[in-house]
Amino acid sequence: MKRPLEPSAEARGRVVGITDGVFAIALTLIVLEIRVPAHELVHSEGELLSAIGALAPRFLTYALSFLTLTIFWFGQQAQHGLIARYDRRLATLNLCFLAFIALLPFSTDLLADFLEFRTAVLVYWLNLLMLGATLFGSWWYADKNGLLAEDIHAETKRAVYTRIVKAQILWAAGAALCLISPLLSVGFILVMQLIYATAPRNSLLRNIIG
């Protein structure tokens, strides 16, 4: 019988399963904050168009968070593919990561409601920062405790560290732009995420970001 802290491939399977579940819930919750305009407040085509236009901040933050979740899901899946076994401590680190994934719908809703406030941008950025920190911590722990697959090269290990750090530096730069304009800050982060998600793997921008 395995001891609670003894690494196992079975624990890895359970961690992967709960990770996918939490991501699926978070992806659902962020779209639920975009609500259809109340029918009793709309009496013409013009009023309906105005009501839809008023939802623009929510569509913006939905796109932002959808890309955030997509990027972190791919990053987490890449780590799962390189980690052969999980112990309780590594599983706990992964749960901390998922706690901040579950928090993203709140920070998204806050940003949508207060898009013009620096505090809302900084709260959203702190959410991104903690996601990166817990993802980095999970990888560091797995690397230092022999939980990675045996055939992983040192270059691959460094690439994972570098990818996380580069993304966090870019997001921190975006957050700093809120000192000029919160909307500029959000726009910068959104553009960086779009480039990350769409740039060809061998392109210069892809190499810079991830």
Side-chain angles (χ1 to χ4, degrees), residues 117-119 121-122 172-186:
F117 290 93
R118 296 185 180 93
T119 299
V121 176
L122 292 176
L177 288 175
C178 75
L179 297 175
I180 301 173
S181 166
L183 190 58
L184 176 63
S185 178
V186 172

Side-chain angles (χ1 to χ4, degrees), residues 13-202:
R14 291 192 292 271
V15 169
V16 171
I18 192 173
T19 297
D20 287 345
V22 171
F23 268 92
I25 293 170
L27 284 165
T28 301
L29 290 176
I30 60 171
V31 75
L32 291 179
E33 294 303 325
I34 304 176
R35 298 184 178 88
V36 175
H39 190 276
E40 60 272 16
L41 299 178
V42 176
H43 305 94
S44 67
E45 296 286 350
E47 289 181 350
L48 179 57
L49 287 173
S50 296
I52 293 173
L55 292 174
R58 294 199 171 275
F59 282 109
L60 175 64
T61 54
Y62 168 74
L64 184 70
S65 289
F66 185 89
L67 285 170
T68 296
L69 289 168
T70 299
I71 291 168
F72 275 105
W73 184 82
F74 278 120
Q76 184 74 329
Q77 292 303 304
Q79 286 198 17
H80 287 327
L82 298 172
I83 297 174
R85 298 167 298 160
Y86 273 75
D87 62 12
R88 180 177 290 182
R89 292 190 179 96
L90 183 55
T92 299
L93 285 170
N94 189 82
L95 288 173
C96 290
F97 170 79
L98 294 180
F100 291 107
I101 289 293
L103 189 62
L104 195 64
F106 164 76
S107 59
T108 301
D109 193 27
L110 181 72
L111 187 61
D113 280 343
F114 301 98
L115 195 58
E116 70 277 17
F117 290 93
R118 296 185 180 93
T119 299
V121 176
L122 292 176
V123 168
Y124 191 88
W125 168 69
L126 284 173
N127 202 159
L128 297 181
L129 178 64
M130 294 312 300
L131 285 170
T134 49
L135 198 63
F136 186 96
S138 296
W139 182 250
W140 178 85
Y141 180 85
D143 183 20
K144 298 304 179 184
N145 289 275
L147 300 177
L148 301 181
E150 295 180 358
D151 58 346
I152 297 178
H153 300 294
E155 183 179 350
T156 301
K157 296 179 183 179
R158 288 194 299 272
V160 174
Y161 287 120
T162 302
R163 185 177 298 116
I164 297 171
V165 171
K166 283 181 178 179
Q168 290 299 321
I169 289 173
L170 287 168
W171 285 329
L177 288 175
C178 75
L179 297 175
I180 301 173
S181 166
L183 190 58
L184 176 63
S185 178
V186 172
F188 178 87
I189 294 173
L190 179 61
V191 169
M192 288 299 101
Q193 291 177 328
L194 282 170
I195 292 173
Y196 184 98
T198 61
R201 184 174 296 275
N202 60 350

